[in-house]
Amino acid sequence: MIQLEGLLEHITYHNPENHYTVARLSIGKPHKKVTVIGFMAGINPGQSLLLSGTWETHSKYGQQFKVSSFEVTLPETIDGIKKYLESDYIRGIGPLMANRLITHFGADTLDIIENAPERLTEIKGIGREKASLISESWKEQHFARKIMLFLQNHGVKVSHCAAILKEYGEDALNIMKTDPFRLAEDLPGKGFIIADTITRHSGIPVDDPKRVRACIIHLVKQSASEGHVFLPEDLLFSSLENIFGINSELAEIALETLVEQREIVVETLEEIQGARAVFLQELHQAETGIMNRLKAMLSMPVSPSNTDPEHLTSQVLKRLAIKPSSEQLDVLCAIFSHSTVIITGGPGTGKTTLIRSINAVLENENKKYILAAPTGRASRRLSEITGRDAGTIHR
């Protein structure tokens, strides 16, 4: 890792969403200008920067310094502080006010602005409202940098700074120091990784109850993102051990707490003796809701329909000029004997023909029916194969 120290001459590009910045830095004597790139918040031309990073060569822009961490080195001399305050970085302070502040507070001026802004009212021309304006402007300039520095010191990518600031504002530092696993709840996906990295760099034990609970939630959510409604308990426990170094005894205690807090639901799987399933509360509710709706639908009487194989064959032939196979005919008869049916099978097993056959029978019997699919693409495909309008389920 290389360190560069210099004066920020010009900001070429800055993304306010993630603080990615391209800038020109003046270094050494005689002064040489270099391009620096990286995630840097709250920097302004005229500031002195201490950068850590590496040199790289861009195919189009040539040699650049890629910043991995940075510090704004505030001036310590009276003259340096005066120039800093005269540079319009802080709202409410111009050359005249900067001179008054320096005359009154001397080398302590910047410390007063940051830590005792109420004392600014000692200066002629600064009332409570203006002191508050100066204080807020200072915080805006320096707060994002403090968060970036905290993230750097705790092994977290500084590109996450903007998202954390947006979520917590001025409470961000306090939350990351006292309750980092709040990030796991409030910043889906990346929040857990940030929180766990902070705790490991903070010396918090791997068996801290908050960490164990957060690891469980993370693994179950990760499983859900891969399409699984629940995670088998034995797989959960082995993952906790292998990935996070958490033994099954601690996992069981944490799991019980999460069940009591109604964040997790644990159910015994009747199909596998002794096996248990771990659900997120909201997914368990969704599954239970679907099950109850299906039960209600299955309890409804089936509308009378002629399921005679010869009758069904004739109707399909009449509409589609296709004679169903014996297997398709068996399925077709079964479909019209039930109130709710699931048709499943791999490619080429005849699902499309079966759907068209169902449509043909319903139309011959003058039944009202609706075609719907989960997505627009699927509904268009349904319309193509049936020759009828189809929509998405949510429409």
Side-chain angles (χ1 to χ4, degrees), residues 167-290:
E167 183 68 28
Y168 301 118
E170 291 185 9
D171 294 329
L173 268 179
N174 182 52
I175 288 169
M176 288 192 291
K177 289 176 180 177
T178 60
D179 189 14
F181 281 106
R182 262 190 65 182
L183 277 72
E185 300 172 19
D186 300 333
L187 299 175
K190 57 192 171 188
F192 172 81
I193 303 299
I194 298 171
D196 199 45
T197 305
I198 290 172
T199 56
R200 285 188 284 107
H201 280 77
S202 300
I204 296 173
V206 294
D207 59 356
D208 181 271
K210 281 186 178 180
R211 179 177 184 265
V212 179
R213 292 196 294 271
C215 289
I216 290 173
I217 295 291
H218 170 69
L219 288 174
V220 181
K221 282 185 175 180
Q222 191 177 57
S223 177
S225 71
E226 294 167 0
H228 304 293
V229 178
F230 67 83
L231 190 59
E233 187 182 54
D234 57 350
L235 180 57
L236 171 65
F237 284 4
S238 64
S239 297
L240 288 168
E241 178 79 48
N242 296 333
I243 301 171
F244 301 113
I246 297 167
N247 62 47
S248 57
E249 186 179 340
L250 290 170
E252 284 178 12
I253 295 169
L255 201 57
E256 287 176 11
T257 303
L258 289 169
V259 171
E260 290 170 4
Q261 294 173 345
R262 302 179 65 82
E263 291 188 57
I264 288 289
V265 175
V266 180
E267 277 194 359
T268 301
L269 296 173
E270 295 179 4
E271 300 84 355
I272 309 171
Q273 190 175 6
R276 300 207 307 170
V278 181
F279 294 79
L280 290 171
Q281 173 77 16
E282 57 266 31
L283 286 182
H284 185 268
Q285 287 177 345
E287 282 285 275
T288 305
I290 291 168

Side-chain angles (χ1 to χ4, degrees), residues 64-85:
Q64 300 175 330
F65 189 77
K66 187 175 182 180
V67 179
S68 59
S69 65
F70 77 101
E71 291 179 40
V72 174
T73 54
L74 294 174
E76 296 178 355
T77 65
I78 297 289
D79 186 52
I81 294 171
K82 186 168 183 289
K83 286 180 180 178
Y84 182 82
L85 292 177

Side-chain angles (χ1 to χ4, degrees), residues 316 320 322 324 332 336 352-362:
V316 174
L320 303 178
I322 294 173
L332 203 55
F336 289 105
T352 299
T353 301
L354 201 52
I355 291 169
R356 294 179 67 202
S357 299
I358 294 168
N359 278 258
V361 173
L362 292 173

